[in-house]
Amino acid sequence: MTNETELGSGSGRTQPNDDDHFFELIEQPKYLIGSVAKMLRVNDHVVRDTIALMGLELERGDTGRKPRLFTTDNVFDIADFRRRRGLLSWDSPTATVVVYSAKGGVGKTTLAAELAVQWSFRGLKVLAIDLDTQGNLTQMMGYDPELERDSDTPIDSTHLVEYNFGSLFTIPPILPAPVPLPDVIKKPYGENGPHLIPADVTLANLEDALLNAQVRDFQVLRLLQRGLTKPVPQLDLSGYDIILFDAPPSTSMLTNTTLLASDLCISPVALDALSFKGLSILGGRLINMREQVGRSPSVVAVPTFYRDNRRRVTKVMDRLKEHYGKILSTGMIRESEEFKRSSIEREIPISLAYPGSKVAIPDLQAISDEMLTIIKNIMENHRAPRGGE
């Protein structure tokens, strides 16, 4: 993958001054050319040249020089165009990645959303799958898991969640027939942005079905294999570069089967005293998995909420390096207002809300690049034989 030019320097959206302004931006995000350049990690003139080659028609602002205004769809369309022209490269087989931590409150869903967006900025085709019945990733991508159809109260169906990952399975009697993948997938940022399989409370049906399924450990793996190696219109995953799961922190059959189906587990680790417990629990689960079925994903631990001016945080970081140095990422996510706010409110990915952030964005870009390097190495050199055929 090339890192072609330095970051653009144009102005982008400013920090919100009040909540009303913030939510207005969420509903209709528009970016100036400088913000787009920052997202794509190129100079402003590269964006101008690209949209000229694409023949992209853009909205114009109504003030001053009437600047071009870019939507999120426009940004991902530009990234896709650059990849198709060979300016961004990725030639690895489809990788399955799960973001998981046995401990909550570590920024897991935030990290999953940011990876999906950052990888899509690099021109990759990403399918994000929400496995948490609370639907936090689903909400961050702009959908409401609690919204229901009501004939007496018309709603905007674009925000409605009607299907989830369980809808793709056939495990009678709970899941009698699959729903076609095109009907399940949401495209919150257009065709070329990250795609989403949302979640809602009915995803619990998949957990119940797995508990009574034959060869239950391999149900997720087999579904992915069918969609990748024997694609049909109802289940075609072959167009994706990365399938990214956001798994809940709870211990469940669905989490276990997803870990088993994954090439890489990314485990965010908040730098507190309980961080070791979360990694220890994960390590124990993966050891049992290897002993029982002969495979488990590679693991990388990503430190989150880092502050170098706190002695306690520094001590925890030193202990992590001592005990888990072999799986610890080089980069880390520093504590920032943007990361804390995103982890709590789950309104919109940081990479889209604050493209000019001087702390969060460089950290997220570095982590996303490091994870891509790890994924590429796994897929090229260390891919374990798949079981459960």
Side-chain angles (χ1 to χ4, degrees):
M1 227 173 250
T2 58
N3 194 359
E4 178 176 283
T5 54
E6 295 180 355
L7 291 177
S9 58
S11 62
R13 295 190 301 166
T14 58
Q15 295 283 345
N17 295 321
D18 55 71
D19 287 343
D20 291 338
H21 181 52
F22 179 67
F23 289 114
E24 180 181 352
L25 289 179
I26 288 173
E27 292 175 4
Q28 294 293 333
K30 299 288 174 64
Y31 308 100
L32 300 179
I33 194 168
S35 291
V36 176
K38 287 183 172 72
M39 293 176 186
L40 301 179
R41 291 189 254 181
V42 297
N43 282 329
D44 293 10
H45 72 82
V46 174
V47 179
R48 292 190 183 93
D49 291 346
T50 303
I51 61 177
L53 289 170
M54 295 173 66
L56 190 61
E57 295 292 334
L58 297 169
E59 180 184 342
R60 290 278 185 171
D62 55 7
T63 59
R65 297 182 178 180
K66 299 186 181 302
R68 296 183 179 94
L69 298 178
F70 296 77
T71 66
T72 51
D73 292 30
N74 295 150
V75 177
F76 292 116
D77 289 345
I78 293 170
D80 174 72
F81 183 82
R82 284 169 49 75
R83 179 177 178 179
R84 286 188 285 110
R85 287 180 62 85
L87 298 173
L88 301 168
S89 63
W90 182 260
D91 55 5
S92 290
T94 303
T96 303
V97 178
V98 58
V99 181
Y100 170 76
S101 172
K103 181 178 178 294
V106 297
K108 175 185 61 64
T109 295
T110 297
L111 181 58
E114 301 305 328
L115 289 173
V117 171
Q118 286 291 332
W119 290 340
S120 296
F121 284 161
R122 309 305 288 163
L124 273 65
K125 302 300 182 184
V126 180
L127 174 61
I129 302 177
D130 193 346
L131 293 184
D132 194 333
T133 55
Q134 294 184 22
N136 291 328
L137 179 63
T138 299
Q139 294 176 61
M140 193 173 286
M141 294 289 188
Y143 302 95
D144 188 346
E146 297 184 359
L147 205 60
E148 296 182 0
R149 288 195 181 277
D150 186 342
S151 58
D152 296 328
T153 308
I155 59 172
D156 183 355
S157 62
T158 58
H159 299 286
L160 187 69
V161 175
E162 295 186 276
Y163 304 111
N164 54 55
F165 188 52
S167 305
L168 301 176
F169 288 81
T170 303
I171 310 176
I174 298 176
L175 302 173
V179 176
L181 180 65
D183 294 339
V184 177
I185 284 178
K186 298 285 190 180
K187 299 177 181 178
Y189 312 117
E191 185 63 38
N192 295 312
H195 294 180
L196 172 73
I197 294 181
D200 62 0
V201 292
T202 65
L203 182 61
N205 292 335
L206 177 56
E207 178 72 20
D208 295 338
L210 287 172
L211 292 173
N212 298 302
Q214 294 182 344
V215 200
R216 60 189 181 185
D217 290 336
F218 296 101
Q219 288 289 332
V220 172
L221 179 58
R222 286 180 164 180
L223 179 82
L224 297 181
Q225 286 178 330
R226 288 200 306 273
L228 290 170
T229 63
K230 300 177 181 178
V232 294
Q234 292 77 14
L235 183 64
D236 186 354
L237 299 169
S238 62
Y240 294 105
D241 296 300
I242 298 177
I243 297 172
L244 177 68
F245 289 96
D246 177 30
S250 60
T251 299
S252 69
M253 178 57 62
L254 179 56
T255 298
N256 283 339
T257 57
T258 302
L259 284 167
L260 180 63
S262 297
D263 299 297
L264 174 65
C265 173
I266 299 173
S267 185
V269 182
L271 295 175
D272 57 39
L274 296 178
S275 58
F276 288 89
K277 188 171 184 179
L279 280 177
S280 177
I281 292 171
L282 174 60
R285 293 178 74 173
L286 298 183
I287 289 172
N288 290 336
M289 190 175 293
R290 283 194 295 271
E291 291 176 348
Q292 293 175 12
V293 299
R295 66 165 276 120
S296 66
S298 299
V299 179
V300 58
V302 177
T304 59
F305 300 106
Y306 177 77
R307 290 187 65 176
D308 57 8
N309 60 347
R310 286 192 176 179
R311 183 177 301 177
R312 176 180 57 81
V313 170
T314 303
K315 285 184 176 180
V316 173
M317 190 67 189
D318 289 341
R319 289 183 62 201
L320 278 174
K321 290 178 180 177
E322 179 183 353
H323 294 282
Y324 295 100
K326 291 183 179 179
I327 65 169
L328 202 63
S329 64
T330 301
M332 64 185 70
I333 308 295
R334 289 171 290 175
E335 187 175 77
S336 65
E337 287 303 314
E338 296 94 337
F339 195 79
K340 286 165 58 179
R341 182 169 188 166
S342 179
S343 297
I344 296 171
E345 298 182 354
R346 307 186 191 284
E347 295 292 349
I348 186 172
I350 299 167
S351 299
L352 296 175
Y354 307 103
S357 170
K358 291 181 166 55
V359 176
I361 295 302
D363 289 354
L364 293 169
Q365 289 175 340
I367 286 294
S368 68
D369 288 351
E370 184 179 353
M371 296 305 105
L372 286 182
T373 299
I374 292 171
I375 291 168
K376 191 158 192 158
N377 290 337
I378 291 171
M379 302 309 291
E380 290 179 352
N381 304 314
H382 306 294
R383 190 165 193 163
R386 297 278 191 174
E389 296 276 18

